[in-house]
Amino acid sequence: MKKLTIALATIAALNVSFSAEAHNDRFQNDHCEVNLNKDITITPEHILIRENDTTLYDIYKDKTVFYKGVELDLTQEQKALVNQYSTSARKLIPEVNAIVIDGLDIASEALTMTFNELGVQTDIESKFTDLKHTLISRYNLEDGTYHFQANGMDVNYVNDEVDRAVEEVMEEIVPSLVGNVLQLIGKAMTEGEGAFEHLEDLDVRVEERIEAQSARLEEKVESFCFSVEHVDELENELSRTSSKLKELDVIKYRHNR
């Protein structure tokens, strides 16, 4: 009965284990903590930094800075820093997108493999594709415009959404899952424990399947952290050059070394 016991324990734990997988280190960012002190909107020509519905800074075409509607007279050093800051901030967008997409792809892969092993038919890929669009559309508005709210650029925010998606999928497939489990139990009673052999070490095989993808995602998160750290340093440098740039305090960053 050992195999039967192990298989039943594995199946019973699925609802918890794969929901928890969204909170596993693979989907969390253990490298850094990133958040925003102010709202920021990035368009093809502008970077708008706002607080309490007031535009504090408008960086136009990566070189001209307006502070509360008045153009600042920048030194050559400041112009160079503004250009670095603006272009580096823009490069964060594709990195955020990659983290969102890869995190959801890993969750989808793990769940698809698990349910296939259990013989449960569910349209997981479609659900996670829709979730990708939902997450990215939260800050990707239109025509190359991106908007992040204060406290809204935490790279860990994918966790909650993946967790919610897993829970929704599990709720939908529970009837099918229970039916398949009962069929397996019936088969085991008539044919022996061999009916459960394909479920042995399922968690290990799922882990192996997503291992390479997870490693690449971790590298992307680490790269994102260093990119944000660079933007934060540029922001600090700029704020030290002028009293009118002191409110350029957008990024709240901490590296978990």
Side-chain angles (χ1 to χ4, degrees):
M1 293 291 291
K2 183 179 179 182
K3 288 182 180 178
L4 176 58
T5 302
I6 292 173
L8 289 174
T10 300
I11 295 169
L14 279 175
N15 191 33
V16 176
S17 65
F18 279 94
S19 179
E21 185 72 25
H23 292 290
N24 187 278
D25 287 348
R26 298 183 183 283
F27 300 104
Q28 288 183 343
N29 171 28
D30 293 328
H31 301 288
C32 66
E33 295 177 15
V34 181
N35 224 314
L36 301 178
N37 296 316
K38 298 176 175 65
D39 295 346
I40 182 168
T41 300
I42 299 176
T43 77
E45 292 190 336
H46 298 266
I47 292 183
L48 303 172
I49 297 169
R50 298 171 59 84
E51 186 175 49
N52 299 323
D53 296 325
T54 299
T55 300
L56 297 177
Y57 296 98
D58 177 1
I59 302 175
Y60 178 61
K61 291 190 174 180
D62 301 334
K63 59 182 180 180
T64 304
V65 179
F66 294 87
Y67 174 59
K68 295 182 178 179
V70 178
E71 182 178 352
L72 298 182
D73 186 14
L74 303 175
T75 65
Q76 289 302 314
E77 176 192 6
Q78 289 172 324
K79 288 179 181 178
L81 286 172
V82 166
N83 183 260
Q84 290 181 58
Y85 174 76
S86 183
T87 54
S88 296
R90 291 180 184 282
K91 290 178 182 178
L92 294 178
I93 301 300
E95 294 191 50
V96 172
N97 286 345
I99 290 171
V100 172
I101 291 170
D102 286 3
L104 294 175
D105 281 344
I106 292 171
S108 177
E109 178 79 11
L111 288 172
T112 298
M113 179 178 175
T114 301
F115 295 143
N116 284 343
E117 291 280 348
L118 291 171
V120 177
Q121 299 298 317
T122 180
D123 192 10
I124 294 174
E125 291 184 7
S126 175
K127 292 180 184 301
F128 276 87
T129 296
D130 291 341
L131 183 56
K132 289 177 198 175
H133 294 312
T134 298
L135 288 178
I136 292 175
S137 65
R138 288 187 179 180
Y139 56 85
N140 183 353
L141 303 180
E142 58 183 15
D143 301 327
T145 296
Y146 302 87
H147 178 72
F148 296 91
Q149 293 183 323
N151 303 314
M153 197 180 181
D154 182 354
V155 294
N156 283 329
Y157 84 107
V158 179
N159 277 355
D160 294 335
E161 298 299 336
V162 172
D163 191 34
R164 188 174 295 112
V166 171
E167 289 176 359
E168 289 177 359
V169 170
M170 290 301 297
E171 287 176 3
E172 288 185 16
I173 61 87
V174 161
S176 298
L177 181 59
V178 171
N180 280 63
V181 171
L182 291 175
Q183 288 180 17
L184 286 172
I185 293 174
K187 190 176 181 181
M189 292 175 67
T190 57
E191 300 181 10
E193 294 184 1
F196 286 99
E197 285 185 352
H198 68 291
L199 296 180
E200 243 186 308
D201 300 323
L202 177 57
D203 56 337
V204 175
R205 287 184 281 122
V206 170
E207 185 79 11
E208 290 174 349
R209 172 72 71 86
I210 64 175
E211 186 175 0
Q213 292 169 275
S214 299
R216 287 194 294 271
L217 175 57
E218 187 170 340
E219 290 175 0
K220 288 181 179 179
V221 171
E222 177 72 355
S223 174
F224 173 79
C225 287
F226 282 118
S227 296
V228 175
E229 184 176 28
H230 176 60
V231 174
D232 186 40
E233 290 171 349
L234 290 169
E235 189 176 271
N236 292 335
E237 284 187 58
L238 272 168
S239 66
R240 287 193 291 266
T241 65
S242 169
S243 60
K244 292 183 179 180
L245 292 171
K246 285 190 179 297
E247 292 183 79
L248 192 68
D249 180 26
V250 181
I251 296 175
K252 182 166 60 178
Y253 173 87
R254 184 170 73 86
H255 201 106
N256 299 327
R257 302 184 189 280

